[in-house]
mmCIF file of all heavy atoms in Angstrom:
data_model
loop_
_atom_site.group_PDB
_atom_site.id
_atom_site.type_symbol
_atom_site.label_atom_id
_atom_site.label_comp_id
_atom_site.label_asym_id
_atom_site.label_seq_id
_atom_site.Cartn_x
_atom_site.Cartn_y
_atom_site.Cartn_z
ATOM 1 N N GLN A 1 13.690 43.627 7.879
ATOM 2 C CA GLN A 1 14.007 45.020 8.191
ATOM 3 C C GLN A 1 12.730 45.840 8.338
ATOM 4 O O GLN A 1 11.684 45.482 7.792
ATOM 5 C CB GLN A 1 14.858 45.611 7.068
ATOM 6 C CG GLN A 1 16.251 45.018 6.970
ATOM 7 C CD GLN A 1 17.108 45.730 5.948
ATOM 8 O OE1 GLN A 1 16.602 46.431 5.056
ATOM 9 N NE2 GLN A 1 18.418 45.568 6.064
ATOM 10 N N PRO A 2 12.812 46.931 9.079
ATOM 11 C CA PRO A 2 11.631 47.825 9.173
ATOM 12 C C PRO A 2 11.131 48.207 7.785
ATOM 13 O O PRO A 2 11.929 48.500 6.898
ATOM 14 C CB PRO A 2 12.176 49.024 9.944
ATOM 15 C CG PRO A 2 13.283 48.460 10.778
ATOM 16 C CD PRO A 2 13.923 47.396 9.927
ATOM 17 N N GLY A 3 9.813 48.177 7.632
ATOM 18 C CA GLY A 3 9.203 48.458 6.345
ATOM 19 C C GLY A 3 8.998 47.233 5.483
ATOM 20 O O GLY A 3 8.336 47.312 4.444
ATOM 21 N N GLY A 4 9.554 46.115 5.896
ATOM 22 C CA GLY A 4 9.436 44.884 5.128
ATOM 23 C C GLY A 4 8.116 44.168 5.355
ATOM 24 O O GLY A 4 7.231 44.649 6.070
ATOM 25 N N SER A 5 8.009 42.989 4.728
ATOM 26 C CA SER A 5 6.774 42.213 4.785
ATOM 27 C C SER A 5 7.068 40.751 5.112
ATOM 28 O O SER A 5 8.146 40.238 4.794
ATOM 29 C CB SER A 5 6.058 42.284 3.438
ATOM 30 O OG SER A 5 5.680 43.600 3.110
ATOM 31 N N LEU A 6 6.095 40.118 5.710
ATOM 32 C CA LEU A 6 6.105 38.672 5.951
ATOM 33 C C LEU A 6 4.687 38.158 5.825
ATOM 34 O O LEU A 6 3.720 38.891 6.069
ATOM 35 C CB LEU A 6 6.633 38.336 7.349
ATOM 36 C CG LEU A 6 8.130 38.439 7.613
ATOM 37 C CD1 LEU A 6 8.404 38.246 9.106
ATOM 38 C CD2 LEU A 6 8.910 37.427 6.801
ATOM 39 N N ARG A 7 4.583 36.876 5.473
ATOM 40 C CA ARG A 7 3.273 36.224 5.431
ATOM 41 C C ARG A 7 3.323 35.002 6.338
ATOM 42 O O ARG A 7 4.092 34.072 6.097
ATOM 43 C CB ARG A 7 2.913 35.795 4.018
ATOM 44 C CG ARG A 7 1.471 35.291 3.893
ATOM 45 C CD ARG A 7 1.243 34.634 2.561
ATOM 46 N NE ARG A 7 -0.183 34.406 2.272
ATOM 47 C CZ ARG A 7 -0.639 33.398 1.542
ATOM 48 N NH1 ARG A 7 0.209 32.529 1.002
ATOM 49 N NH2 ARG A 7 -1.928 33.273 1.317
ATOM 50 N N LEU A 8 2.496 35.029 7.368
ATOM 51 C CA LEU A 8 2.413 33.916 8.304
ATOM 52 C C LEU A 8 1.295 32.974 7.898
ATOM 53 O O LEU A 8 0.268 33.397 7.361
ATOM 54 C CB LEU A 8 2.153 34.424 9.719
ATOM 55 C CG LEU A 8 3.115 35.488 10.258
ATOM 56 C CD1 LEU A 8 2.761 35.805 11.712
ATOM 57 C CD2 LEU A 8 4.555 35.055 10.133
ATOM 58 N N SER A 9 1.501 31.696 8.188
ATOM 59 C CA SER A 9 0.485 30.677 7.933
ATOM 60 C C SER A 9 0.200 29.909 9.217
ATOM 61 O O SER A 9 1.099 29.722 10.042
ATOM 62 C CB SER A 9 0.961 29.699 6.859
ATOM 63 O OG SER A 9 1.194 30.343 5.631
ATOM 64 N N CYS A 10 -1.016 29.453 9.340
ATOM 65 C CA CYS A 10 -1.410 28.633 10.488
ATOM 66 C C CYS A 10 -2.239 27.468 9.987
ATOM 67 O O CYS A 10 -3.342 27.675 9.452
ATOM 68 C CB CYS A 10 -2.211 29.453 11.479
ATOM 69 S SG CYS A 10 -3.000 28.446 12.764
ATOM 70 N N ALA A 11 -1.701 26.276 10.138
ATOM 71 C CA ALA A 11 -2.428 25.067 9.771
ATOM 72 C C ALA A 11 -3.019 24.460 11.034
ATOM 73 O O ALA A 11 -2.314 24.298 12.042
ATOM 74 C CB ALA A 11 -1.491 24.077 9.093
ATOM 75 N N ALA A 12 -4.285 24.142 10.980
ATOM 76 C CA ALA A 12 -4.971 23.591 12.148
ATOM 77 C C ALA A 12 -5.420 22.171 11.889
ATOM 78 O O ALA A 12 -5.732 21.801 10.756
ATOM 79 C CB ALA A 12 -6.171 24.453 12.497
ATOM 80 N N SER A 13 -5.439 21.388 12.933
ATOM 81 C CA SER A 13 -5.934 20.024 12.803
ATOM 82 C C SER A 13 -7.455 20.031 12.793
ATOM 83 O O SER A 13 -8.091 20.990 13.231
ATOM 84 C CB SER A 13 -5.418 19.164 13.952
ATOM 85 O OG SER A 13 -5.875 19.673 15.190
ATOM 86 N N GLY A 14 -8.026 18.954 12.311
ATOM 87 C CA GLY A 14 -9.469 18.846 12.289
ATOM 88 C C GLY A 14 -10.111 19.905 11.423
ATOM 89 O O GLY A 14 -9.521 20.360 10.448
ATOM 90 N N SER A 15 -11.294 20.336 11.805
ATOM 91 C CA SER A 15 -12.058 21.291 11.003
ATOM 92 C C SER A 15 -12.190 22.641 11.706
ATOM 93 O O SER A 15 -13.109 23.404 11.427
ATOM 94 C CB SER A 15 -13.441 20.727 10.709
ATOM 95 O OG SER A 15 -14.126 20.487 11.931
ATOM 96 N N VAL A 16 -11.235 22.932 12.580
ATOM 97 C CA VAL A 16 -11.313 24.158 13.385
ATOM 98 C C VAL A 16 -11.409 25.392 12.516
ATOM 99 O O VAL A 16 -12.245 26.274 12.727
ATOM 100 C CB VAL A 16 -10.097 24.262 14.329
ATOM 101 C CG1 VAL A 16 -10.090 25.619 15.035
ATOM 102 C CG2 VAL A 16 -10.123 23.152 15.351
ATOM 103 N N CYS A 17 -10.516 25.482 11.511
ATOM 104 C CA CYS A 17 -10.492 26.684 10.683
ATOM 105 C C CYS A 17 -11.770 26.855 9.893
ATOM 106 O O CYS A 17 -12.082 27.960 9.469
ATOM 107 C CB CYS A 17 -9.287 26.650 9.745
ATOM 108 S SG CYS A 17 -7.724 27.040 10.553
ATOM 109 N N ARG A 18 -12.470 25.757 9.650
ATOM 110 C CA ARG A 18 -13.699 25.846 8.834
ATOM 111 C C ARG A 18 -14.916 26.196 9.682
ATOM 112 O O ARG A 18 -15.934 26.618 9.149
ATOM 113 C CB ARG A 18 -13.939 24.523 8.112
ATOM 114 C CG ARG A 18 -12.943 24.240 7.004
ATOM 115 C CD ARG A 18 -13.398 23.069 6.152
ATOM 116 N NE ARG A 18 -13.319 21.805 6.860
ATOM 117 C CZ ARG A 18 -12.250 21.020 6.828
ATOM 118 N NH1 ARG A 18 -11.191 21.377 6.125
ATOM 119 N NH2 ARG A 18 -12.246 19.876 7.483
ATOM 120 N N THR A 19 -14.816 26.019 10.987
ATOM 121 C CA THR A 19 -16.016 26.153 11.813
ATOM 122 C C THR A 19 -15.925 27.203 12.907
ATOM 123 O O THR A 19 -16.916 27.458 13.581
ATOM 124 C CB THR A 19 -16.349 24.798 12.450
ATOM 125 O OG1 THR A 19 -15.238 24.338 13.213
ATOM 126 C CG2 THR A 19 -16.701 23.772 11.382
ATOM 127 N N TYR A 20 -14.751 27.806 13.105
ATOM 128 C CA TYR A 20 -14.583 28.797 14.163
ATOM 129 C C TYR A 20 -14.119 30.130 13.590
ATOM 130 O O TYR A 20 -13.402 30.165 12.579
ATOM 131 C CB TYR A 20 -13.530 28.346 15.170
ATOM 132 C CG TYR A 20 -13.999 27.315 16.157
ATOM 133 C CD1 TYR A 20 -14.057 25.970 15.805
ATOM 134 C CD2 TYR A 20 -14.357 27.663 17.448
ATOM 135 C CE1 TYR A 20 -14.470 25.017 16.715
ATOM 136 C CE2 TYR A 20 -14.768 26.721 18.367
ATOM 137 C CZ TYR A 20 -14.820 25.399 17.999
ATOM 138 O OH TYR A 20 -15.227 24.453 18.903
ATOM 139 N N THR A 21 -14.476 31.211 14.228
ATOM 140 C CA THR A 21 -13.749 32.462 14.035
ATOM 141 C C THR A 21 -12.312 32.199 14.455
ATOM 142 O O THR A 21 -12.063 31.591 15.497
ATOM 143 C CB THR A 21 -14.343 33.582 14.884
ATOM 144 O OG1 THR A 21 -15.621 33.940 14.345
ATOM 145 C CG2 THR A 21 -13.450 34.805 14.898
ATOM 146 N N MET A 22 -11.364 32.622 13.627
ATOM 147 C CA MET A 22 -9.949 32.374 13.898
ATOM 148 C C MET A 22 -9.230 33.682 14.139
ATOM 149 O O MET A 22 -9.576 34.722 13.574
ATOM 150 C CB MET A 22 -9.307 31.640 12.717
ATOM 151 C CG MET A 22 -9.828 30.223 12.536
ATOM 152 S SD MET A 22 -9.499 29.156 13.952
ATOM 153 C CE MET A 22 -7.707 29.159 13.959
ATOM 154 N N GLY A 23 -8.192 33.603 14.978
ATOM 155 C CA GLY A 23 -7.468 34.815 15.318
ATOM 156 C C GLY A 23 -5.968 34.625 15.329
ATOM 157 O O GLY A 23 -5.471 33.503 15.480
ATOM 158 N N TRP A 24 -5.262 35.733 15.154
ATOM 159 C CA TRP A 24 -3.821 35.789 15.353
ATOM 160 C C TRP A 24 -3.538 36.598 16.616
ATOM 161 O O TRP A 24 -4.206 37.619 16.867
ATOM 162 C CB TRP A 24 -3.118 36.423 14.160
ATOM 163 C CG TRP A 24 -2.953 35.511 12.987
ATOM 164 C CD1 TRP A 24 -3.766 35.410 11.900
ATOM 165 C CD2 TRP A 24 -1.911 34.556 12.795
ATOM 166 N NE1 TRP A 24 -3.290 34.451 11.039
ATOM 167 C CE2 TRP A 24 -2.155 33.900 11.564
ATOM 168 C CE3 TRP A 24 -0.791 34.175 13.533
ATOM 169 C CZ2 TRP A 24 -1.319 32.905 11.053
ATOM 170 C CZ3 TRP A 24 0.040 33.187 13.021
ATOM 171 C CH2 TRP A 24 -0.218 32.559 11.801
ATOM 172 N N TYR A 25 -2.560 36.149 17.354
ATOM 173 C CA TYR A 25 -2.157 36.777 18.589
ATOM 174 C C TYR A 25 -0.637 36.901 18.575
ATOM 175 O O TYR A 25 0.026 36.227 17.812
ATOM 176 C CB TYR A 25 -2.595 35.927 19.792
ATOM 177 C CG TYR A 25 -4.067 35.598 19.799
ATOM 178 C CD1 TYR A 25 -4.579 34.575 19.008
ATOM 179 C CD2 TYR A 25 -4.952 36.315 20.603
ATOM 180 C CE1 TYR A 25 -5.932 34.270 19.011
ATOM 181 C CE2 TYR A 25 -6.309 36.017 20.616
ATOM 182 C CZ TYR A 25 -6.787 34.993 19.807
ATOM 183 O OH TYR A 25 -8.125 34.705 19.805
ATOM 184 N N ARG A 26 -0.110 37.734 19.441
ATOM 185 C CA ARG A 26 1.346 37.843 19.538
ATOM 186 C C ARG A 26 1.765 38.127 20.965
ATOM 187 O O ARG A 26 1.001 38.690 21.751
ATOM 188 C CB ARG A 26 1.885 38.925 18.596
ATOM 189 C CG ARG A 26 1.485 40.344 18.964
ATOM 190 C CD ARG A 26 1.964 41.310 17.883
ATOM 191 N NE ARG A 26 1.615 42.691 18.193
ATOM 192 C CZ ARG A 26 1.787 43.715 17.365
ATOM 193 N NH1 ARG A 26 2.309 43.505 16.152
ATOM 194 N NH2 ARG A 26 1.458 44.941 17.737
ATOM 195 N N GLN A 27 3.000 37.745 21.271
ATOM 196 C CA GLN A 27 3.562 37.993 22.594
ATOM 197 C C GLN A 27 4.982 38.489 22.427
ATOM 198 O O GLN A 27 5.849 37.753 21.945
ATOM 199 C CB GLN A 27 3.522 36.739 23.457
ATOM 200 C CG GLN A 27 3.954 36.990 24.886
ATOM 201 C CD GLN A 27 3.638 35.828 25.812
ATOM 202 O OE1 GLN A 27 3.413 34.702 25.366
ATOM 203 N NE2 GLN A 27 3.577 36.106 27.093
ATOM 204 N N ALA A 28 5.202 39.721 22.825
ATOM 205 C CA ALA A 28 6.534 40.319 22.778
ATOM 206 C C ALA A 28 7.272 40.000 24.074
ATOM 207 O O ALA A 28 6.631 39.716 25.103
ATOM 208 C CB ALA A 28 6.410 41.827 22.588
ATOM 209 N N PRO A 29 8.587 40.046 24.061
ATOM 210 C CA PRO A 29 9.357 39.746 25.276
ATOM 211 C C PRO A 29 8.928 40.623 26.438
ATOM 212 O O PRO A 29 8.834 41.847 26.313
ATOM 213 C CB PRO A 29 10.797 40.050 24.844
ATOM 214 C CG PRO A 29 10.797 39.871 23.372
ATOM 215 C CD PRO A 29 9.454 40.318 22.908
ATOM 216 N N GLY A 30 8.628 39.983 27.556
ATOM 217 C CA GLY A 30 8.274 40.715 28.759
ATOM 218 C C GLY A 30 6.860 41.259 28.779
ATOM 219 O O GLY A 30 6.493 41.984 29.711
ATOM 220 N N LYS A 31 6.072 40.920 27.774
ATOM 221 C CA LYS A 31 4.708 41.426 27.706
ATOM 222 C C LYS A 31 3.701 40.287 27.649
ATOM 223 O O LYS A 31 4.047 39.151 27.332
ATOM 224 C CB LYS A 31 4.546 42.327 26.484
ATOM 225 C CG LYS A 31 5.368 43.600 26.524
ATOM 226 C CD LYS A 31 5.033 44.505 25.351
ATOM 227 C CE LYS A 31 5.797 45.810 25.429
ATOM 228 N NZ LYS A 31 5.457 46.719 24.298
ATOM 229 N N GLN A 32 2.458 40.607 27.938
ATOM 230 C CA GLN A 32 1.398 39.615 27.848
ATOM 231 C C GLN A 32 1.009 39.384 26.385
ATOM 232 O O GLN A 32 1.196 40.247 25.527
ATOM 233 C CB GLN A 32 0.167 40.073 28.633
ATOM 234 C CG GLN A 32 0.343 40.058 30.138
ATOM 235 C CD GLN A 32 -0.958 40.302 30.882
ATOM 236 O OE1 GLN A 32 -1.848 40.980 30.388
ATOM 237 N NE2 GLN A 32 -1.074 39.728 32.066
ATOM 238 N N ARG A 33 0.472 38.201 26.135
ATOM 239 C CA ARG A 33 -0.020 37.908 24.789
ATOM 240 C C ARG A 33 -1.184 38.847 24.472
ATOM 241 O O ARG A 33 -2.034 39.095 25.314
ATOM 242 C CB ARG A 33 -0.454 36.447 24.703
ATOM 243 C CG ARG A 33 -0.827 35.999 23.308
ATOM 244 C CD ARG A 33 -0.667 34.501 23.099
ATOM 245 N NE ARG A 33 -0.735 33.697 24.288
ATOM 246 C CZ ARG A 33 -0.064 32.543 24.426
ATOM 247 N NH1 ARG A 33 0.690 32.111 23.428
ATOM 248 N NH2 ARG A 33 -0.171 31.845 25.534
ATOM 249 N N GLU A 34 -1.213 39.349 23.237
ATOM 250 C CA GLU A 34 -2.275 40.256 22.831
ATOM 251 C C GLU A 34 -2.894 39.802 21.523
ATOM 252 O O GLU A 34 -2.247 39.160 20.702
ATOM 253 C CB GLU A 34 -1.727 41.686 22.684
ATOM 254 C CG GLU A 34 -0.683 41.848 21.588
ATOM 255 C CD GLU A 34 -0.246 43.296 21.400
ATOM 256 O OE1 GLU A 34 -0.760 44.196 22.086
ATOM 257 O OE2 GLU A 34 0.627 43.526 20.527
ATOM 258 N N TRP A 35 -4.126 40.164 21.356
ATOM 259 C CA TRP A 35 -4.844 39.862 20.134
ATOM 260 C C TRP A 35 -4.395 40.809 19.022
ATOM 261 O O TRP A 35 -4.185 41.998 19.248
ATOM 262 C CB TRP A 35 -6.348 39.999 20.380
ATOM 263 C CG TRP A 35 -7.151 40.034 19.137
ATOM 264 C CD1 TRP A 35 -7.424 38.996 18.292
ATOM 265 C CD2 TRP A 35 -7.792 41.179 18.581
ATOM 266 N NE1 TRP A 35 -8.201 39.432 17.239
ATOM 267 C CE2 TRP A 35 -8.440 40.770 17.405
ATOM 268 C CE3 TRP A 35 -7.896 42.519 18.963
ATOM 269 C CZ2 TRP A 35 -9.164 41.638 16.604
ATOM 270 C CZ3 TRP A 35 -8.626 43.377 18.172
ATOM 271 C CH2 TRP A 35 -9.251 42.938 17.000
ATOM 272 N N VAL A 36 -4.284 40.294 17.800
ATOM 273 C CA VAL A 36 -3.832 41.073 16.653
ATOM 274 C C VAL A 36 -4.935 41.216 15.614
ATOM 275 O O VAL A 36 -5.207 42.314 15.139
ATOM 276 C CB VAL A 36 -2.594 40.418 16.002
ATOM 277 C CG1 VAL A 36 -2.197 41.136 14.718
ATOM 278 C CG2 VAL A 36 -1.429 40.384 16.970
ATOM 279 N N ALA A 37 -5.552 40.098 15.250
ATOM 280 C CA ALA A 37 -6.564 40.120 14.190
ATOM 281 C C ALA A 37 -7.437 38.888 14.320
ATOM 282 O O ALA A 37 -7.016 37.877 14.878
ATOM 283 C CB ALA A 37 -5.907 40.159 12.815
ATOM 284 N N ARG A 38 -8.653 38.974 13.788
ATOM 285 C CA ARG A 38 -9.536 37.815 13.744
ATOM 286 C C ARG A 38 -10.338 37.859 12.454
ATOM 287 O O ARG A 38 -10.489 38.913 11.843
ATOM 288 C CB ARG A 38 -10.455 37.748 14.961
ATOM 289 C CG ARG A 38 -11.488 38.818 15.045
ATOM 290 C CD ARG A 38 -12.485 38.529 16.154
ATOM 291 N NE ARG A 38 -11.854 38.512 17.462
ATOM 292 C CZ ARG A 38 -11.802 39.574 18.274
ATOM 293 N NH1 ARG A 38 -12.336 40.720 17.905
ATOM 294 N NH2 ARG A 38 -11.221 39.469 19.444
ATOM 295 N N ILE A 39 -10.843 36.701 12.089
ATOM 296 C CA ILE A 39 -11.656 36.596 10.883
ATOM 297 C C ILE A 39 -12.767 35.591 11.126
ATOM 298 O O ILE A 39 -12.536 34.505 11.664
ATOM 299 C CB ILE A 39 -10.793 36.214 9.664
ATOM 300 C CG1 ILE A 39 -11.621 36.248 8.374
ATOM 301 C CG2 ILE A 39 -10.113 34.852 9.846
ATOM 302 C CD1 ILE A 39 -10.765 36.188 7.106
ATOM 303 N N THR A 40 -13.980 35.958 10.766
ATOM 304 C CA THR A 40 -15.117 35.079 10.976
ATOM 305 C C THR A 40 -15.131 33.960 9.934
ATOM 306 O O THR A 40 -14.391 34.006 8.939
ATOM 307 C CB THR A 40 -16.433 35.847 10.885
ATOM 308 O OG1 THR A 40 -16.601 36.309 9.527
ATOM 309 C CG2 THR A 40 -16.451 37.030 11.845
ATOM 310 N N VAL A 41 -15.973 32.992 10.146
ATOM 311 C CA VAL A 41 -16.118 31.903 9.178
ATOM 312 C C VAL A 41 -16.502 32.464 7.814
ATOM 313 O O VAL A 41 -16.044 31.998 6.775
ATOM 314 C CB VAL A 41 -17.153 30.877 9.665
ATOM 315 C CG1 VAL A 41 -17.436 29.848 8.591
ATOM 316 C CG2 VAL A 41 -16.680 30.190 10.948
ATOM 317 N N GLY A 42 -17.313 33.488 7.833
ATOM 318 C CA GLY A 42 -17.750 34.108 6.576
ATOM 319 C C GLY A 42 -16.725 35.021 5.941
ATOM 320 O O GLY A 42 -16.936 35.504 4.823
#
């Protein structure tokens, strides 16, 4: 419901999460995929 919370997880193969800046993206119906957030290795 509006105002609620969720926690998403992303498991990656190999060592991608340890060696790359990682990002979350989203795509709403009828819209292009957009960037949401990113986090550096540090």
Side-chain angles (χ1 to χ4, degrees):
Q1 292 186 341
S5 298
L6 285 172
R7 188 191 193 211
L8 307 184
S9 298
C10 169
S13 61
S15 60
V16 173
C17 283
R18 290 192 290 269
T19 57
Y20 282 81
T21 290
M22 293 298 298
W24 282 96
Y25 306 80
R26 67 186 180 187
Q27 186 168 19
K31 295 186 177 181
Q32 289 189 331
R33 187 155 24 211
E34 64 175 358
W35 166 73
V36 174
R38 68 171 63 94
I39 186 167
T40 66
V41 173

